[in-house]
Amino acid sequence: MKKLALLSDQDLFEKVKAGDKTAFEALFLRYHSRLLHFLRILQADQVTAEDILQELFVDIWLKREEIMVHSSVKAYLYTAAKNRFFSALKTIKSSPIEEYPLLVSHTFPNPEEQLICDEIATGFDRQVAALPMQARQAFQLQLNGKKQKEIAQDMGISENTVEKHIGSARKKLRQAFAIYLG
């Protein structure tokens, strides 16, 4: 898996298209937290963001042979996540409130995919919990959609310190997931 971490996005995606499950896991690990953060910036709540990403990656695996990436894999993933978010938003706004729980699916068609995603999510949560207290707090507030200025006010620290804590948290998480990749 360490070799896969060194591949370009395009090469990794080609391996996914060929049915390589390890490459799929590497792609998931490479982009899950980034896409989650992106969806949180778009104001998706945590559950909705996780659901969108689960469905996105399941569809990628199931339709891997049909997917055509015209620009870059990164652009494809971000665009697909954004489109799914706005589609879900339209569905929720046009549905009676009591129907909303029916829109959320927490299962995968393949138990192996569910297990991989559960292990990755658990590993991520474990790594976030292991961060120093202020770095963890700043990082979680940002994931909850707060801007650096708001985080600074909530925590009673400067915006530069918030930026330092979030940068430190991201660096430690990247290092931790490098271990997972190899």
Side-chain angles (χ1 to χ4, degrees):
M1 189 113 144
K2 198 174 221 174
K3 290 180 183 178
L4 291 174
L6 301 175
L7 290 178
S8 70
D9 289 349
Q10 190 61 42
D11 291 339
L12 187 60
F13 197 72
E14 289 302 318
K15 287 189 170 288
V16 171
K17 287 181 77 162
D20 185 332
K21 290 179 183 178
T22 307
F24 174 75
E25 184 180 351
L27 183 70
F28 181 91
L29 286 170
R30 187 177 289 179
Y31 279 100
H32 182 266
S33 62
R34 297 180 205 179
L35 292 170
L36 182 64
H37 183 66
F38 172 69
L39 290 168
R40 300 290 293 152
I41 289 170
L42 292 177
Q43 303 301 314
D45 62 69
Q46 185 72 25
V47 172
T48 301
E50 287 286 350
D51 288 342
I52 288 169
L53 290 180
Q54 286 177 358
E55 291 173 11
L56 172 60
F57 279 98
V58 167
D59 281 350
I60 287 171
W61 181 254
L62 295 175
K63 299 174 183 175
R64 64 188 177 275
E65 295 170 352
E66 306 161 19
I67 295 174
M68 300 301 290
V69 175
H70 299 289
S71 55
S72 71
V73 173
K74 180 179 180 179
Y76 172 83
L77 291 171
Y78 277 86
T79 301
K82 177 190 69 159
N83 290 343
R84 284 171 184 265
F85 170 71
F86 287 119
S87 177
L89 196 60
K90 286 179 192 173
T91 304
I92 291 167
K93 285 183 177 180
S94 66
S95 298
I97 295 202
E98 62 273 5
E99 290 181 24
Y100 176 67
L102 301 175
L103 298 173
V104 180
S105 170
H106 296 284
T107 59
F108 282 82
N110 180 332
E112 184 178 338
E113 292 171 357
Q114 179 69 49
L115 181 63
I116 290 169
C117 290
D118 288 347
E119 286 175 358
I120 292 168
T122 300
F124 181 79
D125 291 343
R126 204 175 311 127
Q127 292 300 321
V128 169
L131 292 169
M133 185 182 69
Q134 285 197 316
R136 178 178 62 242
Q137 185 180 2
F139 183 76
Q140 288 175 327
L141 287 170
Q142 188 181 48
L143 283 180
N144 289 331
K146 292 213 176 199
K147 305 234 182 292
Q148 284 189 5
K149 185 175 183 176
E150 296 170 297
I151 296 169
Q153 290 171 344
D154 288 354
M155 293 179 66
I157 57 178
S158 74
E159 287 183 57
N160 287 339
T161 304
V162 169
E163 187 174 323
K164 183 182 125 210
H165 285 312
I166 291 171
S168 169
R170 287 182 177 166
K171 181 179 178 183
K172 287 180 182 186
L173 289 169
R174 274 193 301 273
Q175 289 170 346
F177 278 96
I179 292 169
Y180 285 102
L181 292 171

